[in-house]
Structure formats: structure tokens, C-alpha cells
Amino acid sequence: MSRAPLLVVASVVSIQFGSAVGRTLFDDLGATGVVLLRVAISALVLAVAVRPRLRAWPRPAWRAATMLGVAVAGLNLFSALAMRTVPLGVVVTISFLGPLTVALVQTRRLLDLTWALMAAAGVALLCWHPGPALPLGGLLLAALAGACGAGYIVLTARVGGLVPGAGGLPVSLTVAALVALPFGAGGASAIVERPALLIGASCVALLQTIFPYVLELNALRRIPTRVFGILVSLNPAAAAIAGLIVLDQHLGSVEIAALLLVTAASAGVTRNRPAEVQDRWSSRRLPRPPRDAADPSETQGRANQGCG
């Protein structure tokens, strides 16, 4: 039996537990400070590992990679800000709407309307019953992260068509770090007086970006993107579990119902995507293969999530 599905599940777990560990650093580094350090460390490590051939890049490739970096920064910054007041599982659930919308737009099947309504029902549950634990401001930030996640997917496809291999990833992460710099520099400066915090930030970078990249790169060589998308739809559930174990975040019945609805919709629209759409995306080698593809769960990312 192929171990590829286990690699994807391991990536999902790594990403969400990395997010939870990052949340524990908010008091010391600030939400945006954690994002800045994670993205900067990931960019440095992957630049050394990938070594993109920048001199051969055409101008459109630089433009697309820059725009992708802005989307990565937005996805991660909005997600982190949302996590200050909203449980991790809920943030990931809401932010899945962006990638899910991209997937739905690409298909024209009547069944997809069912998945869209299912996802909308899940979000409606959260918005109609925000309560003190789910402030609307935090939900809006998570929704903005989802919007950036949608742009992240579209732009990654663009970069993947212009840049061979994974060369676009470290460049986009570098741009994301520059965008996050004015927002996170103040919090990240705490590592000057407390260098040990850099160890925690490095662990977050490894768990949320670097390890998933390696795991998913190997998995996508062995399984179709459709199967990959279904497995990555486990992200909201994994986020809820990580939030419970690491952060002691207990979700109520309403939040759990919303999570299940959005997860089912993501898996459903991936499972039922027409073959021609699957083939179109599986033929591309994107900068960050898994979550940068068009499957509804392939983002959280990132980046995820986002990038992670």
C-alpha cells in the first residue's frame, strides 16, 4: 500500500500543530511578529534548498511572484490576527471559503451547488451564533484570510506556469516577509533580548512550511491531485484537534457542525471535479505543489494556513 496518503495526513497535522505552537508565541512576539519570523525563516531555508535561477526569470514571472508574495502575507497576517480572538479550528474553517470558491468557479456541475450551499450553511452557523467566544471582528479577519487564500491559489498557478520547479516559492516568501516587516518588526524584535524565542519561531517555520513542503512534494508524485485534495480537506478538523491539545480550545456543537459542513463541502467539490479540470491542474508543477493547486483544501494554508 502506498504511503503517499500518510504523507499528506502528516503534512496536515504538521501545519495545524505548527499553527497552534505559533499561537503560543503571540504573547512574546505578537501575532504579526510570529508571522514575520516564520515567513522569513522559511524563505531563507527554502532559498538555500531550492536555489532558484533568478537571472533566467522573465519580467512577468517577477510580477506574478511579487503578487503571490503579497497574497501570502495577507493570508498569514489576517489568519494570525483572527487567531488572537477566534479558535484555530474556526479560523481554518472560515478561511477555507476562499479556496472552495475558486474550485466552485472552475466547475459547472449542478452538484457543486449542493457543496456551495453546504459550505454557506456552515459559515451561517458561525455568523448567526458568534457569541462572546466568536467575535464578528475575528470572523471577518478569517474571511479576509480566505480571500487572500483564493488569490494565493490563482497567483500560484500563474507563477507555476512561468517559473520551472519550485523556484517561485522562496521568492514569494521573501516578498511576504518584506510586506509583513512593518507590521511584525516590533514584536519580532523581542528575540534580541530573548534569543530563545527564535528557536520557537524556527520550529513553527519547520512545522508550518518546510516539513509540509517536503512531505507534499513526495506525496504528489504518487497520488492524483483529486485524492490529495480530499485528504487536505481534513485541515479544519486537524486544526480543531491541534487547538484542543495545544491551546485547550474547546469548540461547541455549533462550531463543530460548521467545521463538518465546510470540510464535507471541500472534500465533495474536490471528489466530484470533472476529469478535464483535474488533468489541467495535475499537469502543472507549482511552486508549492499541494496547497497552491486549485483544490479547495490546497491552501492553508498556506500558506494555509496558509503558506502557509
Side-chain angles (χ1 to χ4, degrees), residues 188-222:
S189 64
I191 64 173
V192 176
E193 296 182 356
R194 301 173 59 189
L197 291 173
L198 188 59
I199 299 176
S202 298
C203 290
V204 174
L206 287 171
L207 288 171
Q208 264 195 284
T209 304
I210 299 170
F211 285 169
Y213 170 75
V214 175
L215 291 170
E216 294 168 358
L217 182 64
N218 282 279
L220 278 174
R221 291 170 177 167
R222 298 174 174 86

Side-chain angles (χ1 to χ4, degrees), residues 97-147:
L97 292 183
L100 179 59
T101 300
V102 173
L104 288 169
V105 167
Q106 293 173 350
T107 59
R108 296 292 185 271
R109 297 178 53 155
L110 182 60
L111 181 59
D112 292 325
L113 177 60
T114 303
W115 305 126
L117 292 175
M118 184 179 295
V123 176
L125 282 176
L126 295 175
C127 293
W128 289 344
H129 300 83
L134 292 178
L136 288 177
L139 295 178
L140 288 174
L141 287 170
L144 288 173

Side-chain angles (χ1 to χ4, degrees), residues 129-202:
H129 300 83
L134 292 178
L136 288 177
L139 295 178
L140 288 174
L141 287 170
L144 288 173
C148 291
Y152 174 57
I153 291 175
V154 174
L155 290 168
T156 300
R158 175 65 174 163
V159 173
L162 295 170
V163 179
L169 177 59
V171 173
S172 296
L173 286 174
T174 300
V175 172
L178 293 174
V179 173
L181 182 62
F183 303 100
S189 64
I191 64 173
V192 176
E193 296 182 356
R194 301 173 59 189
L197 291 173
L198 188 59
I199 299 176
S202 298

Side-chain angles (χ1 to χ4, degrees), residues 229-296:
I230 295 173
L231 292 172
V232 180
S233 296
L234 296 171
N235 264 294
I241 294 172
L244 175 62
I245 294 175
V246 179
L247 304 172
D248 196 29
Q249 294 177 340
H250 296 262
L251 299 183
S253 57
V254 171
E255 291 88 348
I256 293 175
L259 181 153
L260 292 175
L261 285 170
V262 174
T263 298
S266 299
V269 75
T270 303
R271 176 66 180 85
N272 291 281
R273 178 178 300 168
E276 62 270 18
V277 177
Q278 292 284 346
D279 292 342
R280 185 183 70 204
W281 284 96
S282 61
S283 65
R284 297 181 179 179
R285 280 294 170 259
L286 305 180
R288 188 180 179 202
R291 278 175 306 286
D292 299 345
D295 286 322

